[in-house]
């Protein structure tokens, strides 16, 4: 009797598995039209060489040896991101004391610049006097290759809107005050920019504050927080196998980590079809939800994927996706390849260390 019951249960499970495989089959869904869209995180910028520990949270003091001259959240870095093949640029917004929005990634100035204190305690005019490259070092503070070269490079938001009127932008709120959303939309209106028609996006930490305000004022815009994206992603990771699209994904954002595409039912075509049906976007991120930073990672992106790809190192990854954008000269190419080899070696060493850790 028990054996008969076991056989029936096994048959039911096998049929359920076959049904799930069929309804989630990517090859049975039409290939979406379009192409992948690269999001350049901070534009072209200097990458962090190794993670920080303890109180050492200043990433600018731990960069890789530079292979280009561009700094995060500067007009030069954003322009180079476009020239490297980015379709969208992610930039950070920090409010100033005089009610303006500076394009700067940290709430405080001490790490990257020669300024002190919170960005919100300074006027935009004061920020323009600072050196945006002051704190960058690749050798533990022995040398500072960008010191003196970043003076005046912290942009005010209208400068970016004027420089990239036709380029979709992803705005990240550094602060949590809802009024920052009003400042952003006022700047857009003054620039004659329609964020919905342009395809702009808005993000930040938490569903309150500026993220909630943008949702209220721009109901048709792409808006997500770290939390809402995590909710959609985790819900679909199990509901998708039941051919369900979670309510958390409606008009939301799903993040698929590179190397774990197999965990998302219907990847890529069926998944894209389901997300399109509920107005959701898909972002393919690198391992650990970071951006792609090695050219070979693009081989893992299916040709039929038409969502967004989060890119940390647009200088190397962009031309790997679209070779026509590779304008690096022979010296830059040689320096980049040497830097990539070191990055790969460091990644391999880090992975080996994790495997040998007693906590694994």
């Amino acid at each position: 009797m028990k054996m008969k019951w076991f056989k029936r249960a096994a048959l039911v499970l096998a049929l359920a598995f076959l049904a799930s495989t069929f309804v989630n089959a990517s090859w049975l869904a039409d290939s979406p039209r379009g192409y992948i869209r690269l999001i350049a995180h901070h534009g072209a910028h200097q990458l962090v060489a190794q993670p920080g520990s303890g109180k050492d949270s200043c990433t600018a003091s731990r960069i890789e040896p530079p292979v280009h001259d561009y700094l995060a959240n500067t007009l030069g870095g954003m322009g180079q991101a476009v020239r490297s093949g980015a379709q969208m640029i992610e930039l950070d917004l920090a409010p100033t004391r005089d009610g303006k929005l500076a394009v700067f990634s940290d709430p405080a100035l001490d790490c990257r610049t020669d300024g002190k204190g919170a960005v919100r305690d300074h006027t935009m005019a004061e920020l323009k006097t600072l050196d945006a490259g002051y704190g960058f070092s690749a050798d533990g503070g022995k040398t500072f290759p960008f010191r003196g070269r970043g003076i005046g490079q912290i942009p005010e938001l209208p400068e970016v809107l004027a420089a990239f009127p036709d380029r979709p932008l992803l705005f990240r709120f550094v602060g949590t005050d809802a009024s920052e959303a009003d400042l952003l939309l006022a700047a857009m209106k003054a620039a004659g920019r329609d964020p919905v028609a342009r395809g702009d996006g808005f993000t930040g930490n938490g569903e309150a504050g500026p993220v909630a305000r943008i949702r209220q004022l721009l109901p048709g815009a792409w808006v997500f927080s770290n939390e809402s994206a995590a909710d959609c992603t985790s819900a679909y990771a199990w509901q998708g196998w039941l051919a369900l699209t979670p309510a958390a994904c409606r008009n939301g954002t799903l993040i698929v980590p590179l190397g774990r595409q197999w965990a998302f039912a219907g990847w890529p075509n069926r998944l894209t079809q389901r997300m399109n049906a509920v107005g959701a976007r898909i972002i393919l991120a690198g391992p650990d939800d970071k951006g792609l930073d090695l050219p070979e990672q693009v081989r893992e992106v299916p040709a039929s994927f038409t969502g967004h790809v989060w890119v940390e190192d647009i200088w190397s990854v962009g031309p790997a996706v679209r070779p026509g954008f590779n304008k690096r000269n022979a010296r830059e190419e040689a320096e980049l390849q040497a830097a990539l080899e070191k990055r790969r070696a460091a990644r391999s060493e880090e992975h080996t260390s994790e495997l040998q850790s007693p906590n694994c």
Side-chain angles (χ1 to χ4, degrees), residues 172-257:
R172 185 182 78 88
F173 295 103
V174 173
T176 57
D177 192 324
S179 65
E180 295 167 29
D182 295 278
L183 291 175
L184 171 55
L185 294 184
M188 288 182 156
K189 184 177 181 180
R193 186 184 184 97
D194 182 340
V196 177
R198 182 54 52 220
D200 294 329
F202 306 85
T203 188
N205 290 318
E207 277 295 295
V211 171
R213 183 65 171 157
I214 287 289
R215 288 192 194 279
Q216 175 189 1
L217 298 177
L218 290 176
W222 179 19
V223 186
F224 67 98
S225 66
N226 294 341
E227 292 77 6
S228 68
D231 288 344
C232 170
T233 302
S234 60
Y236 186 83
W238 69 271
Q239 292 186 37
W241 293 105
L242 302 176
L244 300 174
T245 303
C249 292
R250 184 167 298 277
N251 299 319
T253 300
L254 176 75
I255 298 177
V256 177

Side-chain angles (χ1 to χ4, degrees), residues 265-342:
W267 171 263
N269 296 357
R270 183 70 72 188
L271 174 59
T272 300
Q273 185 182 72
R274 289 171 179 168
M275 292 300 111
N276 286 344
V278 296
R281 274 85 166 181
I282 303 173
I283 297 178
L284 179 63
D288 301 320
D289 291 339
K290 298 178 181 178
L292 274 63
D293 61 1
L294 291 171
E296 59 266 26
Q297 290 172 324
V298 303
R299 300 172 195 156
E300 300 181 49
V301 183
S304 62
F305 180 61
T306 58
H308 293 84
V309 177
W310 193 263
V311 179
E312 192 69 29
D313 184 10
I314 194 66
W315 178 257
S316 67
V317 173
V321 176
R322 298 184 173 89
F325 284 87
N326 187 1
K327 307 300 181 183
R328 298 185 294 260
N329 59 40
R331 176 188 60 80
E332 291 171 334
E333 193 68 44
E335 291 178 349
L336 174 61
Q337 295 310 315
L340 291 174
E341 285 304 313
K342 291 181 180 179

Side-chain angles (χ1 to χ4, degrees), residues 11-358:
L11 178 60
V12 170
L13 289 174
L15 291 175
F17 175 77
L18 289 174
S20 176
T21 301
F22 181 79
V23 300
N24 289 305
S26 177
W27 60 273
L28 289 176
D30 293 334
S31 295
R33 300 178 64 180
Y35 53 87
I36 63 171
R37 284 152 285 182
L38 305 183
I39 303 176
H41 183 218
H42 293 167
H45 66 101
Q46 304 301 316
L47 268 65
V48 179
Q50 69 276 348
S53 59
K55 297 181 180 180
D56 181 18
S57 60
C58 180
T59 57
S61 66
R62 307 191 308 275
I63 62 170
E64 294 180 350
V67 295
H68 60 69
D69 297 331
Y70 302 102
L71 298 174
N73 282 303
T74 62
L75 292 176
M78 295 177 200
Q80 181 55 49
V82 173
R83 293 190 295 273
S84 294
Q87 284 71 50
M88 192 173 204
I89 303 167
E90 185 272 351
L91 57 104
D92 304 318
L93 301 175
T96 66
R97 194 179 71 199
D98 51 344
K100 298 180 180 180
L101 287 174
V103 180
F104 194 75
S105 59
D106 298 337
L109 297 164
D110 307 68
C111 172
R112 299 173 183 272
T113 79
D114 52 343
K116 300 294 181 184
V119 175
R120 65 172 58 252
D121 292 335
H122 295 74
T123 66
M124 193 66 227
E126 290 171 340
L127 297 181
K128 283 292 187 182
T129 67
L130 300 180
D131 182 358
Y134 188 85
F136 288 83
S137 178
D139 54 13
K142 296 177 182 178
T143 60
F144 294 87
F146 295 101
R147 187 165 288 185
R149 299 167 60 185
I151 298 173
Q153 286 197 36
I154 300 177
E156 184 182 353
L157 174 60
E159 295 179 78
V160 176
L161 299 180
F164 304 99
D166 301 320
R167 181 71 46 175
L169 301 172
L170 177 58
F171 301 95
R172 185 182 78 88
F173 295 103
V174 173
T176 57
D177 192 324
S179 65
E180 295 167 29
D182 295 278
L183 291 175
L184 171 55
L185 294 184
M188 288 182 156
K189 184 177 181 180
R193 186 184 184 97
D194 182 340
V196 177
R198 182 54 52 220
D200 294 329
F202 306 85
T203 188
N205 290 318
E207 277 295 295
V211 171
R213 183 65 171 157
I214 287 289
R215 288 192 194 279
Q216 175 189 1
L217 298 177
L218 290 176
W222 179 19
V223 186
F224 67 98
S225 66
N226 294 341
E227 292 77 6
S228 68
D231 288 344
C232 170
T233 302
S234 60
Y236 186 83
W238 69 271
Q239 292 186 37
W241 293 105
L242 302 176
L244 300 174
T245 303
C249 292
R250 184 167 298 277
N251 299 319
T253 300
L254 176 75
I255 298 177
V256 177
L258 199 69
R260 296 194 70 248
Q261 300 97 312
W262 55 267
F264 294 84
W267 171 263
N269 296 357
R270 183 70 72 188
L271 174 59
T272 300
Q273 185 182 72
R274 289 171 179 168
M275 292 300 111
N276 286 344
V278 296
R281 274 85 166 181
I282 303 173
I283 297 178
L284 179 63
D288 301 320
D289 291 339
K290 298 178 181 178
L292 274 63
D293 61 1
L294 291 171
E296 59 266 26
Q297 290 172 324
V298 303
R299 300 172 195 156
E300 300 181 49
V301 183
S304 62
F305 180 61
T306 58
H308 293 84
V309 177
W310 193 263
V311 179
E312 192 69 29
D313 184 10
I314 194 66
W315 178 257
S316 67
V317 173
V321 176
R322 298 184 173 89
F325 284 87
N326 187 1
K327 307 300 181 183
R328 298 185 294 260
N329 59 40
R331 176 188 60 80
E332 291 171 334
E333 193 68 44
E335 291 178 349
L336 174 61
Q337 295 310 315
L340 291 174
E341 285 304 313
K342 291 181 180 179
R343 190 180 301 168
R344 293 182 185 107
R347 194 75 44 82
S348 177
E349 182 178 343
E350 180 181 350
H351 179 65
T352 300
S353 177
E354 290 176 352
L355 291 177
Q356 295 175 345
S357 172

